Amino acid sequence: MSNGQDLRKRVEELRERIRYHNYRYYALDDPEISDAEYDELFRELQALEAAHPELASPDSPTARVGFPPLEAFDVFEHPVPMLSLENAMNEGEMIEFHQRVQRMLGVVEGIDYTAEPKMDGLAVELLYENGRLSRAGTRGDGYRGEDVTPNVKTIRAIPWTLFALPNAPPIPSLLTVRCEVFMNRKDFQDLNRHREAQGEPLFANPRNAAAGSLRQLDSAITAQRRLKAYCYGVGVLEGLRLETQWDLLNALKQWGLPVNPLSRLCHGLRQALDYYRELERKRPELPYEVDGVVYKVNRLDWQHILGEKTRSPRWAIAYKFPAHVAETRLVDIQVQVGRTGVLTPVALLEPVSLAGVVIRRATLHNMDEIERKDIRIGDHVIVRRAGDVIPEVVRPLEEKRNGSERRFVMPARCPACQGTVVRLSGEAVHRCMNRSCPAQIEGALRHFASREAMNIEGLGKKIIHLLVERGMVHQPADLYRLTEADLVTLPGFAEKSAANLIGAIQKSREPDLPSFLYALGIPLVGSHLAAVLAERFKSFEALRATSYEDLVAAEGVGNKVAESVRRYFENEDNEKAIQALLKIGVQPKALMPEMVSQDMHDFWQGKTVVLTGTLKSMTRDEATERLRRAGARVSSSVSGKTDVVIMGENPGSKLQKAQALGVAVMDEKTFLRHLA
Ligand code: IVH
């Protein structure tokens, strides 16, 4: 390139072309060039910008790699509340919906509906001022969400600037667009595979992965997550009159926003129901999770007449797909040993395809579950995946038994170490009692190294297995004695990777106190309680020396936790492992008084809260107690009066009910943040 002007022109041209191809790819789903050609344009632009920083621009498509990290999210107020949808679970309920619409409009014929795939992700509102994306926020409770602007700006499908194609309606000066941000199944699987290798906790389903990715304080992380989005509606639309939802979808598309190309205009109920069946057939082949069809009365003046209830419009409904189920044979039951010695039975299945994923294993939870469901080895069983990673055995098909099925017996000896297995009174689970069981050691080390604990990057499952198998590591302190020379003897290690891992291990020598406490794996002490204990006792020594009475007196610590902490420190093996860590120079940093977080309890004052599923960091009783102390009313069933549903693992029907009623659902992490 000869002079600065040519260069500037080329850079502008590249940016224009990339923006155009983004639009072809994401908005029209109709790319004109191959991925490789696109990458080439992108790299040329990156190279030019890197070589000529004076040409860099915050508007450049290359800027979608992230923005400076935030301390916390701001509140995003929705100018028009983001409502939820009522569900139809079967054809009968769809017909009822249609009849209600007919009745309220006083019209029998000529009711058209738009049919849009109900994307299983999270709702986000985009604010465009004079065609430029200025802010973006999550749905939150429908009135206030979190401002996730930098994160949304990394999503390539979402244009920073709108443009009107010829014949398109003019772009409103003030416009808010509602969209669903989601992750493709394939990208979700890749992400989880990567996380597993890194020893990081897995996301349960693509929806959680999308939500977790969007709610990152560091947008550089979001940028790596390959999020997608489809737009389906507006909140504010200033200076433009449209007649129908279908025109609206087309306008969005013509302004460069991505709209699901599978959306259709249906004339009457018959076509609407046909569309449902058609999409259900396509469902396994779609690259993303769809949990139903959203129908909206097409005419906007009719929508206006039908109006809204408190949480949902009367002019729209979500006709849900049934959960994914399949029949297969349970070939055998294997027993897995976790870090605390708990034995978990896992069903080995004849491979079966469920929603486009081949299932080979499913959890059976524990012995009580197997007995309650009367599941036997050799049974034909129904398995279910509710968009989750871990499929579940729902029930056996008793009518298909031929007498060859066997009842499962929990082994009396640990499958990993042959140690004694016992079932303690009052516990649902069986445990291996051998403290030097390799499966437990591996589990404990994985936990120790994990992100929320000591955060040792690169120390994943496979490497830990090798280290334990070869007798190189027996307890966490041994990690700090490893040398590069030790690691290069392991398969797959070169000098560079060995040096990196040793570096990562050494870097973890001065953990903050909450991470260290969590890393120890004290029973019942999850990351939240670790933070609570750290806050109260300030130093590791103080906590270790404290009495049961002082522990129970601490806010947020119940008698079970206090007992567990005392028992942990009184155990001789634990004491030795801790001594070894301290001796080798691992030094948890004491908490400074100013690090103690502020009281956020006002958030809970007067709210009605329902718990569902199993929380990882505390028991249900503890959660109830803490919520009550924070001023909330904890109720056992979901109703229109519920403000928040807190969702743990394996949430039950309360979650569905909450979703149906449009009640805000909070995951455990958010819950802990709001308690902290
Ligand atoms: S319309 C007033 N359309 O479903 C209408 N929602 O249960 C409100 N969703 O929060 C939503 N695809 O996250 C609408 N084509 C679509 C949708 C859709 C997915 C989600 C969205 C919303 C939830 C409502």
Side-chain angles (χ1 to χ4, degrees):
M1 210 95 4
S2 55
N3 62 44
Q5 204 133 56
D6 287 348
L7 216 108
R8 187 173 296 273
K9 240 177 88 190
R10 177 68 183 155
V11 166
E12 267 316 314
E13 182 190 327
L14 284 168
R15 285 178 187 157
E16 260 327 297
R17 283 175 65 184
I18 291 171
R19 279 187 202 117
Y20 173 73
H21 290 300
N22 275 348
Y23 167 70
R24 300 282 329 179
Y25 185 87
Y26 292 108
L28 300 186
D29 202 17
D30 184 19
E32 271 175 9
I33 58 172
S34 70
D35 288 2
E37 286 166 310
Y38 177 90
D39 289 344
E40 201 171 308
L41 293 176
F42 202 86
R43 272 197 297 269
E44 184 185 342
L45 178 59
Q46 272 180 322
L48 286 178
E49 287 176 347
H52 306 277
E54 73 280 7
L55 295 181
S57 150
D59 275 354
S60 172
T62 55
R64 292 198 191 244
V65 290
F67 303 84
L70 305 172
E71 295 280 331
F73 295 116
D74 282 339
V75 171
F76 184 101
E77 302 248 5
H78 298 290
V80 178
M82 284 181 89
L83 297 182
S84 177
L85 288 171
E86 211 167 290
N87 289 332
M89 304 310 282
N90 52 51
E91 206 167 293
E93 293 181 6
M94 249 323 271
I95 296 171
E96 269 172 38
F97 165 75
H98 177 62
Q99 289 171 341
R100 200 173 61 215
V101 169
Q102 286 177 318
R103 215 174 33 246
M104 289 192 66
L105 292 176
V107 175
V108 180
E109 292 290 319
I111 301 175
D112 293 349
Y113 295 101
T114 57
E116 302 156 26
K118 185 167 190 296
M119 307 302 300
D120 199 7
L122 72 156
V124 167
E125 179 156 61
L126 312 169
L127 170 62
Y128 285 93
E129 290 175 284
N130 299 315
R132 294 178 82 86
L133 177 61
S134 59
R135 293 178 69 208
T138 59
R139 175 171 183 271
D141 62 7
Y143 299 91
R144 310 169 92 219
E146 288 173 320
D147 185 322
V148 287
T149 309
N151 299 350
V152 165
K153 283 191 151 186
T154 69
I155 303 174
R156 292 195 185 175
I158 296 177
W160 290 359
T161 316
L162 302 180
F163 56 89
L165 291 179
N167 300 329
I171 295 164
S173 50
L174 200 60
L175 169 71
T176 67
V177 180
R178 274 92 191 262
C179 66
E180 190 84 352
V181 170
F182 63 95
M183 192 181 279
N184 275 348
R185 251 195 305 259
K186 167 86 171 45
D187 292 329
F188 158 72
Q189 282 157 3
D190 289 348
L191 173 63
N192 259 356
R193 225 167 283 144
H194 180 75
R195 289 173 74 85
E196 185 165 26
Q198 299 287 317
E200 292 169 23
L202 303 187
F203 287 113
N205 50 49
R207 185 190 50 243
N208 288 4
S213 302
L214 199 65
R215 299 187 57 265
Q216 288 284 339
L217 291 171
D218 183 357
S219 59
I221 299 176
T222 315
Q224 292 165 7
R225 296 284 173 84
R226 285 181 277 186
L227 292 172
K228 304 250 158 32
Y230 279 135
C231 301
Y232 55 71
V234 291
V236 181
L237 183 73
E238 224 155 70
L240 182 64
R241 278 218 157 276
L242 290 170
E243 309 234 307
T244 63
Q245 167 72 10
W246 190 243
D247 288 348
L248 172 67
L249 292 178
N250 279 314
L252 295 175
K253 221 181 327 186
Q254 288 173 310
W255 295 333
L257 290 155
V259 173
N260 194 323
L262 298 177
S263 306
R264 289 273 180 289
L265 180 61
C266 304
H267 304 296
L269 178 69
R270 262 270 303 285
Q271 286 190 2
L273 294 176
D274 285 346
Y275 177 88
Y276 177 88
R277 286 186 280 267
E278 187 188 319
L279 191 69
E280 195 178 14
R281 258 198 312 280
K282 285 196 192 129
R283 190 181 178 199
E285 275 93 58
L286 295 176
Y288 42 71
E289 301 270 356
V290 166
D291 56 356
V293 177
V294 179
Y295 294 98
K296 297 172 188 162
V297 169
N298 190 38
R299 276 177 56 169
L300 298 181
D301 56 339
W302 282 357
Q303 288 190 3
H304 190 74
I305 294 174
L306 291 161
E308 271 113 37
K309 294 192 275 188
T310 20
R311 291 176 195 275
S312 56
R314 289 197 196 86
W315 44 264
I317 195 153
Y319 184 4
K320 304 278 283 234
F321 288 135
H324 294 291
V325 293
E327 182 189 328
T328 185
R329 248 189 82 232
L330 189 156
V331 181
D332 202 357
I333 295 180
Q334 210 180 44
V335 174
Q336 272 177 4
V337 188
R339 77 178 157 88
T340 56
V342 171
L343 271 54
T344 305
V346 176
L348 304 186
L349 307 168
E350 240 163 47
V352 58
S353 177
L354 242 190
V357 181
V358 178
I359 308 292
R360 296 190 165 79
R361 301 156 70 82
T363 180
L364 291 164
H365 304 292
N366 56 49
M367 197 64 213
D368 282 349
E369 280 279 302
I370 297 177
E371 279 165 5
R372 193 174 58 77
K373 293 178 177 168
D374 188 22
I375 293 167
R376 304 183 194 174
I377 297 167
D379 263 339
H380 286 262
V381 291
I382 298 292
V383 288
R384 178 175 66 182
R385 237 183 101 238
D388 293 355
V389 181
I390 308 172
E392 188 189 23
V393 177
V394 183
R395 63 185 171 89
L397 296 171
E398 284 166 26
E399 64 280 12
K400 291 209 171 171
R401 283 187 182 153
N402 62 14
S404 71
E405 296 78 17
R406 288 179 292 126
R407 279 182 208 276
F408 169 72
V409 190
M410 216 21 132
R413 304 220 151 253
C414 168
C417 71
Q418 308 307 316
T420 324
V421 168
V422 298
R423 182 181 198 164
L424 300 177
S425 65
E427 277 196 24
V429 296
H430 290 72
R431 276 177 204 278
C432 160
M433 300 306 281
N434 172 17
R435 307 243 353 141
S436 40
C437 168
Q440 288 185 49
I441 295 176
E442 282 181 35
L445 286 167
R446 284 212 293 271
H447 176 77
F448 184 82
S450 66
R451 158 103 57 101
E452 276 178 288
M454 303 294 274
N455 192 17
I456 305 178
E457 211 172 306
L459 187 57
K461 195 171 167 178
K462 287 194 185 122
I463 298 168
I464 289 175
H465 177 70
L466 285 171
L467 291 170
V468 173
E469 191 183 49
R470 300 191 175 205
M472 293 160 78
V473 173
H474 305 276
Q475 54 169 332
D478 298 338
L479 292 171
Y480 297 89
R481 286 192 201 96
L482 290 173
T483 63
E484 289 169 34
D486 291 331
L487 292 186
V488 289
T489 64
L490 297 177
F493 265 97
E495 258 167 47
K496 178 91 172 40
S497 46
N500 284 347
L501 182 52
I502 297 296
I505 293 172
Q506 296 304 331
K507 218 177 75 186
S508 72
R509 272 177 191 272
E510 282 189 32
D512 58 55
L513 185 55
S515 308
F516 182 71
L517 291 179
Y518 175 65
L520 292 179
I522 304 170
L524 303 184
V525 179
S527 53
H528 168 69
L529 267 173
V532 168
L533 291 169
E535 219 170 84
R536 166 68 186 80
F537 294 97
K538 305 286 188 287
S539 76
F540 182 63
E541 286 316 317
L543 174 66
R544 190 150 69 133
T546 206
S547 67
Y548 170 84
E549 286 70 27
D550 279 347
L551 278 163
V552 271
E555 171 150 354
V557 179
N559 57 346
K560 286 209 181 110
V561 172
E563 226 169 75
S564 173
V565 172
R566 273 326 309 157
R567 201 177 319 132
Y568 177 87
F569 284 119
E570 277 157 19
N571 178 296
E572 216 173 298
D573 292 322
N574 296 336
E575 182 56 28
K576 276 191 203 146
I578 291 168
Q579 285 295 356
L581 274 171
L582 299 178
K583 205 162 143 225
I584 201 128
V586 172
Q587 266 190 340
K589 283 181 285 202
L591 220 57
M592 298 299 154
E594 62 270 21
M595 278 177 72
V596 177
S597 72
Q598 287 300 311
D599 199 339
M600 270 184 67
H601 282 179
D602 270 355
F603 175 85
W604 297 107
Q605 199 58 50
K607 288 215 163 80
T608 301
V609 182
V610 174
L611 295 154
T612 178
T614 318
L615 295 172
K616 279 194 243 149
S617 55
M618 63 185 92
T619 63
R620 188 171 284 218
D621 286 345
E622 267 174 67
T624 306
E625 179 54 31
R626 292 179 56 101
L627 283 164
R628 290 220 170 106
R629 260 188 264 158
R633 213 177 70 79
V634 181
S635 151
S636 59
S637 62
V638 179
S639 74
K641 294 207 188 93
T642 312
D643 292 298
V644 183
V645 169
I646 296 166
M647 170 186 68
E649 270 176 346
N650 301 315
S653 59
K654 288 182 205 167
L655 177 62
Q656 280 164 6
K657 181 116 188 253
Q659 282 167 340
L661 290 172
V663 174
V665 177
M666 190 180 259
D667 63 13
E668 181 163 4
K669 240 186 164 160
T670 317
F671 170 48
L672 295 178
R673 273 221 334 258
H674 280 90
L675 271 185

